[in-house]
Amino acid sequence: MSKWKIDTLSRPGTAAQEGEDPSQVYQRLISNDRVAAPSHIATSLPADNGTDGPPKARYIDPTFHRIEMERLWPRVWQFACREEEIPEVGDLVVYDIGDISHIVVRTAPDEIRAYRNACLHRGTRLCQEDTSLQQLRCPFHGFTWSLEGELTEVPCRWDFPQIDRADMRLPQARVECWGGFVFINMDGNAPPLNEYLGVLDSNLPGENFANKYIAHYIRKVLPANWKACIEAFLEAYHSVETHSWSMGFTNDANAQYDVFPDTPHVSRFMHAFGVQSPHLDRELSEQEVLEELFSIFWSGEPAPTLPPGEKARGFAADLVRQQRSEAMGRDYSQVSDAEALDSIEYSIFPNMVLFHGLAVPVVYRFRPNGNDPDSCIFDLFMLLEYPEGSPRPDPAEVFEMGDMTYRELTEKLGFDAFFGITYDQDTGNLGLQQQGMKSLESDTLIFARYQECRLRHFHEMITRYVAMAPE
Ligand code: FES
Ligand SMILES: [Fe+2]
């Protein structure tokens, strides 16, 4: 529902026109900002990757899921947990992808390992849940491993003449950390994590995340393939139809999309807030844009009257900088308008999404739900700073939403209403898409040339991995 009249063609002069480079529109907009954006934001990259769309079988065919499990997931860096979830030696998280499970455990104050979660005797899962242990003991017959992965106990040892303790170490995946995130990779030949992340750390330094804590950790099973689910968050093209209520304060159709030529595992979009959509059929006053922003970001508060000549975007950016500085006892006065307000989103292939900036402190992870190609585990982390000088708060434990809507969650947690409305709108499409793809007559989907170029790039990466021989 929208109180605005929407024109899906965009008013002339307000959006990229045919033949124009659409990435320049966001750049033009931020060039007028009060606190200028840093160089990595004040730049655009060529994102011309054609017009192809992916085969729909990639989303619905169990065979394609099996191929991904054999060829893709064993080779990519995956965000398994946050370091603060396992602060003490022996703390562990069970991380599952499809049928494959790892125990991600702190084995020393500065060491984290990831062991395959399977007993070497007859295969029983060693750990069923996140916990803290000083040894890993199989619940079936009691084979036991130390935190270092050495076999330490075999009941009736005399009956196993064929096993050599040296050969019975628990198999490990590689573990590397960035920004407080613990990543694992099962492939000994994969590039190191810093090479895989490439340009990301210079654009979005890991320290931005290392000093935060998990304020909320929310899990919901979504009724669509994991790729359809992440793709719904890689473009702002859906905003005009799905989030029409946001058209008064977001510049949806002028979002910038970047694919990094030297960092194929990372892409991003930058979507301006504090500016109206080009889809509205008339130009709003700056006061109206501010009122729209206040109705969402400062819900319930009446918007102040803008001084003459003042723009909604600059005013709102100042307010965000000031309020966050006061709340956190830190100085955010030099954070650019773009970083204060905009939705600047990076993705790390294959399944992680991170936001840059003050307004949207969330991280997403999308995983197949076991071996079901029709559903996905969606983990939403809200990572927050804490006041300078205060101890780091304990991280939130995972909250399983079950059938609860995001709107109901919003009420339970006391978040602003727009949080629940937005995620219900985003996730509400997914089951329809998954069902619809099965009756779609065509074998392929269609992607927009520019606004869905990140999705096309994502599929180029999928193609690259599934073309490899099975592990
Ligand atoms: S299956 Fe683990 S000890 Fe037997
Ligand atoms: Fe959305």
Side-chain angles (χ1 to χ4, degrees), residues 11-231:
R11 278 180 305 116
T14 60
Q17 302 300 308
E18 217 173 323
E20 187 186 0
D21 175 358
S23 71
Q24 291 312 306
V25 186
Y26 179 78
Q27 290 300 318
R28 264 203 309 273
L29 187 144
I30 66 169
S31 69
N32 295 316
D33 281 346
R34 185 169 295 171
V35 180
S39 58
H40 65 271
I41 290 175
T43 190
S44 62
L45 294 153
D48 185 1
N49 56 11
T51 56
D52 288 349
K56 71 173 183 185
R58 287 188 167 192
Y59 303 84
I60 58 179
D61 183 352
T63 305
F64 195 80
H65 167 79
R66 209 182 62 241
I67 291 171
E68 287 178 343
M69 289 312 306
E70 290 171 357
R71 303 178 187 200
L72 181 131
W73 294 107
R75 291 190 165 103
V76 291
W77 284 102
Q78 300 173 48
F79 159 39
C81 65
R82 291 273 303 168
E83 285 186 61
E84 72 259 30
E85 290 180 82
I86 47 173
E88 305 293 335
V89 171
D91 291 349
L92 65 89
V93 161
V94 175
Y95 174 74
D96 295 339
I97 187 80
D99 282 335
I100 303 174
S101 180
H102 283 87
I103 301 163
V104 184
V105 55
R106 189 173 291 277
T107 51
D110 56 357
E111 183 183 61
I112 296 170
R113 294 191 188 182
Y115 296 119
R116 199 56 89 97
N117 190 6
C119 175
L120 298 187
H121 176 219
R122 278 165 53 192
T124 305
R125 268 170 82 98
L126 292 170
C127 291
Q128 324 316 321
E129 59 187 13
D130 303 352
T131 184
S132 189
L133 296 170
Q134 291 311 307
Q135 58 181 16
L136 302 171
R137 186 175 183 86
C138 178
F140 199 166
H141 311 93
F143 273 46
T144 301
W145 284 264
S146 68
L147 288 185
E148 286 69 41
E150 303 276 355
L151 182 65
T152 55
E153 189 181 338
V154 177
C156 303
R157 178 73 179 87
W158 56 268
D159 212 11
F160 292 87
Q162 72 276 44
I163 66 171
D164 180 346
R165 204 166 151 258
D167 297 334
M168 294 289 285
R169 288 190 57 80
L170 284 177
Q172 294 180 57
R174 292 162 65 192
V175 175
E176 291 194 46
C177 295
W178 172 84
F181 298 102
V182 180
F183 287 82
I184 69 167
N185 194 317
M186 298 172 230
D187 183 0
N189 296 316
L193 181 63
N194 67 350
E195 194 180 308
Y196 191 93
L197 299 180
V199 72
L200 183 71
D201 192 65
S202 61
N203 283 14
L204 187 50
E207 302 97 73
N208 286 10
F209 298 101
N211 295 325
K212 293 182 177 172
Y213 76 102
I214 304 174
H216 296 283
Y217 181 172
I218 297 157
R219 176 168 297 161
K220 189 165 176 65
V221 173
L222 301 178
N225 184 269
W226 71 276
K227 296 183 292 299
C229 294
I230 191 170
E231 286 165 15

Side-chain angles (χ1 to χ4, degrees), residues 236-447:
Y237 174 53
H238 66 278
S239 297
V240 64
E241 190 66 28
T242 298
H243 310 303
S244 59
W245 54 274
S246 69
M247 296 294 101
F249 64 93
T250 65
N251 203 225
D252 59 322
N254 291 329
Q256 175 177 321
Y257 299 84
D258 291 314
V259 168
F260 298 92
D262 300 324
T263 307
H265 295 95
V266 173
S267 70
R268 75 170 172 190
F269 75 43
M270 301 191 287
H271 176 194
F273 281 41
V275 187
Q276 74 172 86
S277 167
H279 287 306
L280 293 190
D281 69 336
R282 72 174 174 92
E283 188 174 340
L284 304 184
S285 69
E286 290 294 332
Q287 184 65 35
E288 284 176 305
V289 174
L290 189 71
E291 281 162 14
E292 285 299 295
L293 259 182
F294 262 71
S295 71
I296 301 301
F297 285 108
W298 290 276
S299 20
E301 273 190 55
T305 303
L306 281 173
E310 178 72 303
K311 295 236 177 2
R313 180 171 168 83
F315 184 91
D318 276 348
L319 195 56
V320 169
R321 284 185 283 260
Q322 180 202 324
Q323 290 184 337
R324 287 295 277 272
S325 298
E326 280 168 14
M328 293 299 144
R330 297 167 195 249
D331 179 11
Y332 292 115
S333 59
Q334 293 315 304
V335 172
S336 66
D337 293 13
E339 293 165 289
L341 278 186
D342 293 347
S343 174
I344 301 178
E345 179 208 276
Y346 285 76
S347 61
I348 302 173
F349 184 84
N351 66 334
M352 185 175 181
V353 172
L354 304 121
F355 285 83
H356 184 72
L358 300 180
V360 196
V362 294
V363 172
Y364 306 144
R365 176 175 62 190
F366 300 86
R367 286 177 285 168
N369 184 23
N371 287 316
D372 179 10
D374 293 333
S375 65
C376 164
I377 301 169
F378 173 34
D379 289 319
L380 187 158
F381 299 81
M382 191 170 283
L383 297 183
L384 294 181
E385 319 99 306
Y386 43 96
E388 188 98 65
S390 311
R392 180 197 286 270
D394 288 339
E397 291 184 7
V398 63
F399 178 79
E400 307 259 5
M401 285 178 63
D403 292 334
M404 179 185 276
T405 65
Y406 284 97
R407 192 69 194 267
E408 288 163 348
L409 179 81
T410 296
E411 281 154 24
K412 180 179 166 62
L413 299 180
F415 292 168
D416 288 337
F418 84 90
F419 175 93
I421 296 171
T422 305
Y423 285 104
D424 280 337
Q425 288 170 341
D426 280 321
T427 56
N429 293 324
L430 294 168
L432 304 177
Q433 187 189 8
Q434 190 72 15
Q435 287 166 28
M437 280 193 281
K438 294 182 181 179
S439 65
L440 180 71
E441 212 172 43
S442 168
D443 289 334
T444 55
L445 310 186
I446 296 171
F447 285 162

